[in-house]
Amino acid sequence: DIVLTQSPGTLSLSPGERATLSCRASQIVIRSYLAWYQQKPGQAPRLLMYGASSRATGIPDRFSGSGSGTDFTLTISRLEPEDFAVYYCQQYGSSPFTFGPGTKVDIK
Amino acid sequence: QLQLQESGPGLVKPSETLSLTCTVSGDSVSSRSYYWGWIRQSPGKGLEWIGGIFYTGSTSYNPSLKSRVTISTDTSKNQVSLNLNSVTAADTAVYYCARHSANDGSWGLFYFDYWGQGTLVTVSS
């Protein structure tokens, strides 16, 4: 199984700042089949990005994704109050599809 | 608007079978474009993909759970069901129903674009 590692574990930032989240895979993720999700307390995860860099329906353009191979990044250009949450990456280049442990973005 | 709603017992005894149902509205489990399935989340193991099913009955399961899992559909009710047998405390989790989507040309490799709100299942005597 592909193991995903996310860093940092927690990112403390202020609204308006830029957030850079990392996801590293234990093996190459084929075709950059990497997705990102946002989860708020008491809610289900919400799809943000797929294919490493494609935004899901309705996701604002302050969210962007990049990367290939084993290293991927989610960037939030300017944090809005509603962006403080936990973010997970998920690889779907090979089954079983696996998730990272998450990065919590909290208010500084 | 697509909605997925999980239902089922919140408490299951060890060694018994966990059974959950997901009712889909706004799309069809008979769709030829998606799989439908389940993901769970626990404090200890994080998010874990369980498996999915296509309208033809074709299934895809996580090998770690495959021996204990059955996923099925009831097209007349537009529902997807999960059965997990021989449960232990390690199966305690929030269980989510999710639509499985694939990039063009990569059928069988899924990300999850719509999720239900989740239902907590506790395994305890």
Side-chain angles (χ1 to χ4, degrees):
Chain A
D1 299 3
I2 294 179
V3 176
L4 299 179
T5 303
Q6 292 187 243
S7 60
T10 302
L11 195 53
S12 297
L13 295 168
S14 300
E17 289 193 296
R18 181 184 188 92
T20 303
L21 288 67
S22 174
C23 177
R24 177 163 291 179
S26 62
Q27 305 170 39
I28 290 175
V29 178
I30 67 167
R31 304 184 199 177
S32 298
Y33 281 172
L34 194 287
W36 289 93
Y37 301 84
Q38 176 194 68
Q39 186 176 35
K40 297 179 181 178
Q43 296 184 16
R46 177 176 72 142
L47 177 68
L48 298 175
M49 314 290 300
Y50 62 95
S53 60
S54 297
R55 272 186 298 275
T57 303
I59 302 303
D61 60 7
R62 65 180 181 272
F63 290 91
S64 63
S66 63
S68 64
T70 60
D71 291 303
F72 298 88
T73 300
L74 175 71
T75 301
I76 310 170
S77 59
R78 288 174 51 86
L79 282 164
E80 297 288 340
E82 62 267 27
D83 299 336
F84 292 93
V86 180
Y87 292 83
Y88 296 96
C89 56
Q90 175 237 332
Q91 68 80 23
Y92 58 104
S94 63
S95 183
F97 317 117
T98 52
F99 293 85
T103 289
K104 183 178 183 180
V105 179
D106 66 12
I107 300 176
K108 187 174 181 180
Chain B
Q1 180 182 353
L2 176 58
Q3 291 187 316
L4 299 86
Q5 179 67 58
E6 304 89 349
S7 59
L11 181 64
V12 181
K13 290 182 168 55
S15 79
E16 296 189 344
T17 297
L18 179 160
S19 295
L20 297 175
T21 298
C22 171
T23 301
V24 178
S25 57
D27 199 348
S28 171
V29 300
S30 298
S31 168
R32 299 184 180 205
S33 300
Y34 305 103
Y35 268 55
W36 301 85
W38 297 89
I39 295 159
R40 68 182 183 179
Q41 185 174 29
S42 62
K45 297 189 74 174
L47 287 160
E48 182 178 30
W49 172 68
I50 298 171
I53 188 168
F54 194 46
Y55 82 102
T56 57
S58 174
T59 54
S60 179
Y61 294 135
N62 190 322
S64 69
L65 297 167
K66 186 174 184 177
S67 64
R68 299 194 292 129
V69 171
T70 302
I71 295 175
S72 59
T73 57
D74 183 336
T75 56
S76 67
K77 296 180 180 178
N78 213 29
Q79 292 177 334
V80 184
S81 295
L82 169 69
N83 279 349
L84 179 66
N85 61 37
S86 305
V87 298
T88 69
D91 295 309
T92 294
V94 176
Y95 285 75
Y96 295 101
C97 177
R99 192 174 78 171
H100 291 34
S101 286
N103 289 63
D104 289 344
S106 295
W107 191 243
L109 301 176
F110 300 115
Y111 59 94
F112 313 109
D113 60 352
Y114 286 92
W115 299 57
Q117 67 184 25
T119 187
L120 173 63
V121 179
T122 302
V123 179
S124 175
S125 54

